[in-house]
Each structure stands twice: as structure tokens, then as C-alpha cells.
Amino acid sequence: MGVATPPTGGATWLRSNNRALSLRGVTGPVSPSTGATVPVLHAIAPPGLEPVVARELGEHGYSTHQHPGHVHVDVEGLAAAVSVVHRLRTPSRVLLPLTEGPAATLEQLARLVRSVDWSPFLTRTSEVRVSVISRGSRIRRRDTAQKKVSHALRDAQRRLKPIRRASAGLVPQHVRIRLDGPRAVLSIDVGGDLLHKRGWRMTAGKAPLRESLAASLLLLAGWSDDEPLLDPCCGAGTFCIEAGLWAARRSPYVGRTLACAQWPGVPEARREAHRPHPAALFASDQSERAISMTRENARRAGVGVQARVLDIADLEAPSPHGLLIANPPYGARLGQSERSVEGVYRSLGRALRGPLAHWRALFLAPSERLARSVDRRAFCITTFSNGSRSVGAWALDPFSDSTGQDAED
Ligand SMILES: C[S@@+](CC[C@H](N)C(=O)[O-])C[C@H]1O[C@@H](n2cnc3c(N)ncnc32)[C@H](O)[C@@H]1O
């Protein structure tokens, strides 16, 4: 093994405990250049990961306002909004609020729908889905509200142009209504559906990690594409494939059309070509099925991943330093007990004190006990909810003290 050098990107662990709050309405400020209202996007973040979503938007040059569960960002026009959403990896959804107003009755709600200029978003033939969430509204039945809104939208659509785009009709548009007491907020879902669905993962194991979560953890770890990446419990290959798309500066939505790509108000985008990426990506798993899934998914995404069947107990270092990132089995989640998977965590710890002693590591663990069975020096960067479980993201860094404080500064 060569001499260990710290990762060149100046890797820093981002701690996700900052919950800066500020109150903003749904309509944006007025642009000084055009006088038009600037759209405000609401990027939905899993609770605990708002700072990660804010950080990613910051890397695209946007200043943000964090709220529990979402991050607000002003964008200069619809085309800019569509372009940035195609590059975002960490939010679970992005909404564009279109209006907010009184909706104490079904009639008022329908009036609110009719007050929106739908022409930038819908055509006469767009398929539109409506969902309603309600808190303290006098409109008690969500299905009745949904029908009323759908009806008002169909009326509005009849007055729109029958524009056809190359991909028109493929992706439904999704209008989301939030009834809050006597008022309502109407938003359009920029992606149309949850954004962790990238379109490249056609096969997955029993406990796949959401792709947006994998991207958030890579960002939390401060990974950059000059640092080799190793996932020793790769399952469907999610970490390595997300990392490869990131390294190639490609949109993560390689196998999917986002709803906003069909908005008539924005220019039609060209499909991105496959681009090579510079990252060294290594994936292993004890399961042959997992390795075939990883290879198949990597092929679909157009990402180069070196994948092989290997038990974590036999882990070797594929390069002198790098970032190990892992989502080992949680035990209880797959119907086992935590004790039954402790051996995997202990083997991970032995590898990180042995052949991978010069590697940084970020791993998920469902309990502090399991995390400490990897190494007593592991420090928790954040906790979040993965499926129905609360999970910790734990880090180990041979280039910082045992609390990770040096790396954070
Ligand atoms: C929670 S899943 C990982 C899911 C993965 N992150 C994904 O997105 O698909 C845990 C993985 O650890 C693997 N695994 C369990 N014990 C292992 C061992 N001793 N050595 C290597 N891999 C192991 C399982 O085969 C499974 O694919």
C-alpha cells in the first residue's frame, strides 16, 4: 500500500443539524430587471437533511431559506427553474407554488384554480393529476376537493393551445393543493413524481437506498470525484451510480422525463449524451445477485463501476486512500435481529483498521450500539428517517480527531 495522503478535494464532513428558519410566503420577490414576480421553488427535504439540500442549491449559486422539511429558493424565470431541477440530486420533490388565497368553500377553491395562468405549464391535452392535503379546513372531504379542482382544471385546459411536444403525453402533470384553515396553496410538482426515481434503477434488492438519499450522503461526506469511492455492501449499486453521474456532471434523471420538460412555457431540452467520468468507483457485495443488479443498473445509467462479489470480511483497499461509503444491513428491517448483523459491522471495523486504515468512511447504522461495533471513534453526522426507521450517518476519518472536529472547521 502507498503512503496515505489526505483526499485532495479538502473533504469536509457536513453536519446536518442546522435548522435555520425564516418565514417566506409562496410568491417570490419582484425581479428588479423585468418587474415580474420571481418564481420560488420549494425543494422538499427529508427531515434532518434540509441543510444538505440547501448546500446543493448553494453549489448551483442559489441562496436559500431553510424551513423544517423544505428549502425555498428564488429562481430567475421558469427556464432557470427547470434547468436547476434537472441537476438537483438531493431533494425528494420540488414544488412550484402558483398561487395562495382564500379557499374556505369549494367555490372559492375553484375560483383560485381559475385565477392561475396555466398556459406555461399545461396544454389542452396534458394529463393532470390532483392531490389534496388538508389541515384544519372546512372542506372536510379531500376527494370532493380533488374533483372540484380537476373539474376547474379541465375547464381551464379547454381554453389552452393544443401544443404537442416530442415527449408530450408521456408524463402526467401533478397539481398539489394544500388546504390550510380557510386558505389554500396551489403548486405544480416540477418533477411530476418523487425525484429519487431516476429511471436507471430497474432492479433493486430488498432494502435499496433512495437515490436522493445516496446523493445527500455523498454530499455530507464532502466527496469529490478525485477521491476513490468504495461501497462494500453495494446492493443495487446506488452510491456508486449516483457518484458516477455526479462526476460526469450529468443530470441524475437519465432514464426519466421530468414533468417540467413538457411545460409549454420552457424551451424543449435536448437529451444529454453519455459522458465519461473521472471517478474511480468500486462496488462489492457478498451476493452474486447484488453484483449483477449493480452491473445492469450501471450499464443503464452509463456509469463505469468496478463491481465484484466479495464478503466484507475479505475487503481489500483498491487504492491507498478514498471514501468508503456503506449502507450495511440493519437487521430488524429485513426481519432479522440487530445481533445477527453485528458481524458485518465488526468486519467493516476490522477493514477500516486494517487494509483501509487510510480511508475515510461514512456508514449508516440503525443504532449507536451497531455504529460503535465498527469503531468507538465513529462520530454521528446526522440522523434521518430511512423508510420507517431512524438511521444515523456515522463517520470515521483518519485525518481528523475522534470527534471529526478538525475536519469540520
Ligand atoms: C441494505 S442493503 C444495501 C442496499 C444498497 N445501498 C442499495 O441501495 O441497493 C445491504 C447489502 O449488504 C449486503 N451484505 C450483507 N452482508 C454482507 C457481507 N458480509 N459482505 C458483503 N455484503 C454484505 C447485502 O447482500 C445487501 O446487498
Side-chain angles (χ1 to χ4, degrees):
M1 193 193 300
V3 178
T5 47
T8 47
T12 49
W13 303 102
L14 174 67
R15 283 176 190 259
S16 176
N17 51 8
N18 158 20
R19 293 280 188 91
L21 299 184
S22 72
L23 290 173
R24 295 287 308 272
V26 295
T27 48
V30 172
S31 160
S33 48
T34 62
T37 305
V38 173
V40 179
L41 294 179
H42 290 192
I44 312 297
L49 295 179
E50 298 89 343
V52 183
V53 172
R55 164 89 161 248
E56 188 188 15
L57 279 158
E59 287 180 3
H60 287 285
Y62 291 99
S63 50
T64 55
H65 304 268
Q66 291 178 46
H67 302 254
H70 45 113
V71 175
H72 293 187
V73 56
D74 304 336
V75 279
E76 276 290 331
L78 273 194
V82 168
S83 162
V84 71
V85 172
H86 272 92
R87 310 216 82 78
L88 287 181
R89 298 165 200 280
T90 58
S92 43
R93 216 184 260 296
V94 176
L95 300 181
L96 174 61
L98 300 175
T99 189
E100 189 270 346
T105 63
L106 287 170
E107 270 326 307
Q108 282 183 334
L109 181 59
R111 211 171 300 136
L112 203 57
V113 174
R114 287 195 293 269
S115 72
V116 173
D117 174 11
W118 293 100
S119 62
F121 311 104
L122 303 180
T123 69
R124 194 181 295 173
T125 52
S126 305
E127 181 187 340
V128 188
R129 296 191 183 152
V130 176
S131 54
V132 178
I133 55 169
S134 164
R135 196 178 58 179
S137 168
R138 272 175 47 203
I139 304 175
R140 294 208 190 285
R141 297 198 46 170
R142 281 186 297 147
D143 56 343
T144 317
Q146 206 171 337
K147 269 192 202 136
K148 191 76 181 174
V149 171
S150 300
H151 198 263
L153 274 168
R154 272 198 299 277
D155 274 353
Q157 275 185 274
R158 264 182 225 118
R159 288 189 291 276
L160 297 176
K161 291 187 188 136
I163 302 168
R164 283 198 72 79
R165 308 195 78 158
S167 53
L170 292 178
V171 181
Q173 300 295 329
H174 206 137
V175 172
R176 297 184 179 275
I177 315 287
R178 198 180 76 218
L179 298 173
D180 203 346
R183 299 183 75 78
V185 179
L186 264 71
S187 306
I188 190 154
D189 189 325
V190 182
D193 196 357
L194 286 163
L195 290 175
H196 76 269
K197 300 176 186 174
R198 314 297 210 201
W200 55 257
R201 192 160 80 181
M202 303 310 279
T203 52
K206 285 187 191 143
L209 193 66
R210 286 189 166 196
E211 293 83 336
S212 46
L213 204 46
S216 298
L217 293 165
L218 286 162
L219 206 139
L220 271 170
W223 179 76
S224 61
D225 55 25
D226 53 3
E227 189 177 25
L229 188 77
L230 166 64
D231 177 358
C233 294
C234 67
T238 314
F239 280 124
C240 285
I241 296 170
E242 275 298 309
L245 290 168
W246 196 339
R249 313 282 181 266
R250 286 173 61 199
S251 165
Y253 307 102
V254 286
R256 161 175 181 190
T257 303
L258 297 183
C260 59
Q262 297 181 350
W263 290 352
V266 294
E268 208 154 356
R270 278 186 297 133
R271 276 235 168 251
E272 272 184 334
H274 283 197
R275 262 188 256 150
H277 64 78
L281 306 172
F282 305 96
S284 55
D285 198 291
Q286 67 168 12
S287 146
E288 278 186 30
R289 183 165 174 267
I291 295 307
S292 358
M293 284 191 305
T294 294
R295 289 189 181 134
E296 174 59 10
N297 288 332
R299 188 191 63 73
R300 285 176 188 276
V303 168
V305 177
Q306 299 181 49
R308 65 168 173 152
V309 178
L310 191 70
D311 194 287
I312 200 164
D314 303 321
L315 212 54
E316 295 156 3
S319 73
H321 66 76
L323 173 70
L324 177 145
I325 193 156
N327 178 26
Y330 301 163
R333 183 165 172 190
L334 295 178
Q336 313 155 309
S337 75
E338 265 194 20
R339 293 230 175 259
S340 69
V341 293
E342 203 171 304
V344 180
Y345 289 77
R346 289 197 185 286
S347 295
L348 175 59
R350 275 193 288 278
L352 289 168
R353 286 185 296 277
L356 292 145
H358 300 305
W359 281 57
R360 303 190 304 128
L362 184 146
F363 61 91
L364 301 186
S367 69
E368 181 165 355
R369 197 181 62 77
L370 274 180
R372 299 274 175 223
S373 65
V374 173
D375 197 296
R376 276 185 305 109
R377 295 166 302 160
F379 51 94
C380 186
I381 298 184
T382 190
T383 52
F384 56 90
S385 145
N386 185 16
S388 53
R389 286 203 73 150
S390 168
V391 175
W394 294 77
L396 266 173
D397 192 337
F399 304 106
S400 78
D401 68 19
S402 61
T403 63
Q405 288 305 313
D406 290 349
E408 192 192 16
D409 292 341

